[in-house]
Amino acid sequence: MENMANTVARIPNLVDWSTGEIRLMSAKCNSCGTYFFPREHYQHRPGCSREGVEDVLLPSKGKLASYTIQHYPCPPPFKTEKKITPYGIGLVEFEEEKIQVAGIITDTDLEALELGMEMETTTLAMYSNEEKQQVVTWAFKAAK
Amino acid sequence: MRDVYIIGTGIHPWMGFSEQVFADFAAVAVEGALKDAAIEWQKIQSIMAGIFIYGGNAGHLSGQYLESIFGETGIPVVNVYNACATGSAAIRMAFNSVVAGETDTALAFGADVSPKGFLTAKSDNAVQDRDVIRWKMGGMPNPIYWALECTKRMAKYDTTEEDLALVKVLMSEYGSKNPEARFKKAYSLEEVLNSVYVCEPLRLFEICPVSTGAAALIMTADEELISKADNPVKINATTMGSAIYGDPTIRISALSCPSVAEAPMLSESYSASRQAYEKSGIGPEDIDVLELPDNSSWHYLVYLETCGFCGEGEADKMLRDGETRIDGRLAVNPSGGFSSHGEALSAQAIWQVIECANQLRGRCGERQVDGAKVAMAQTYGLMGNSGTTILTV
Ligand SMILES: [Zn+2]
């Protein structure tokens, strides 16, 4: 993992790198077993007691369940200093957690994308803020 | 339960951005519906209004604004928002009011002015509104959601890029025959396949834009009004559905979805349509005309399956075999669909029902489905809400 010391997520509580690995911040309901992303996107099974929801990190790696290549810039409030179009968006499956998470695909040959390939969670540098910090979003790249 | 009939409909034709205010568009549609029903404004006993979310106080109280244009009469006026199924919600409330005997004659309407530029997040609170996250960090405009599902579909079934293009060819052929369509140019398969990708596999001509438009309909159980109406159309059922736990679809504005399906795809539309079949006693096999929400070519295919017109993965074959053509077993979107109109959020579900009513009233000219007796309008709304209306003559 590159040096993330001067890095900040554009919106907090979505992506974590405090463990030395970049991982998505999810929550798990210990009553119905459902994982949520973002953490506040509660989607309990009907009849669940909703007790024992705990914050968890998703594994760093998952499988590409779907993808698309976006050919136009995403309108504001999305912003990046560098032009990123065309960019990939992937739906990455975390099998044990039974959840698929969407995110931008970076550092990957878009022509070589294939369903089922292994992807790892990373960050994408968006811009630097007034405090000269690198502002990032979560992203996925082909696993090495 | 007493029988409820549509006796008057009106629209303001779909168009692009306008400087005019939404209430002016609504007034055109309502005036048209009153004229069609040949009744006085004072006969309207309740108003169920779809709200215009970009219209501030006026848009959120669209029913009151509309009422004041025609003259305030003290009747119940309720304003509702269910995203792209807003019109379905208004129709359902009007129907329930009439069928329960609370009122005899009700008006449902919706009007929308396409905002200038792009539609993005409407708040800045990412914890409360995850739509903020998808716009600020996800980089995910709406068609990306459809493309992610379409990619899955193409891997699972034998859906091809030609199938996606063929949907547009058909929709544009019908749109060219609809004097009220916003887009009237008919495209060849080659032209569609040569249009640029927006998000692969979806091309520019295979996704619908946003529009300005208004639609209004008047329904009644008043026997005198029904007997005087020009070809009144019976509402057999009008329902709303929400999503079901375990639906594997990635919904617009969400950032995740379940990886193990425990419910049908687009379960909100599955729910709405199954409720309508049960309440009306009419099934997919009985339906002559279907207006479905073709926000993209993917929607056209998946909705045939979601609503039970064929089995999973069989819609492409229905399309290729011509079964969904105007002269086929099920005429799908003879209006030209959203593809030829664009989405006018709070108006579009009402417009779909009006198109169905027009088919049953034999008013569709070159795009008329011969002998149409049963029609169904199906909507699709953001974040798990949907409506189905079944009509007969
Ligand atoms: Zn739970």
Side-chain angles (χ1 to χ4, degrees), chain B residues 47-71:
Chain B
I47 300 173
M48 302 303 173
I51 75 164
F52 170 46
I53 54 173
Y54 297 99
N57 196 46
H60 294 161
L61 296 166
S62 60
Q64 276 73 11
Y65 271 71
L66 187 276
E67 187 192 20
S68 75
I69 293 174
F70 286 85

Side-chain angles (χ1 to χ4, degrees), chain A residues 29 31-32 44-45 48 50:
Chain A
C29 173
S31 296
C32 70
H44 292 281
R45 182 182 288 277
C48 174
R50 306 188 307 281

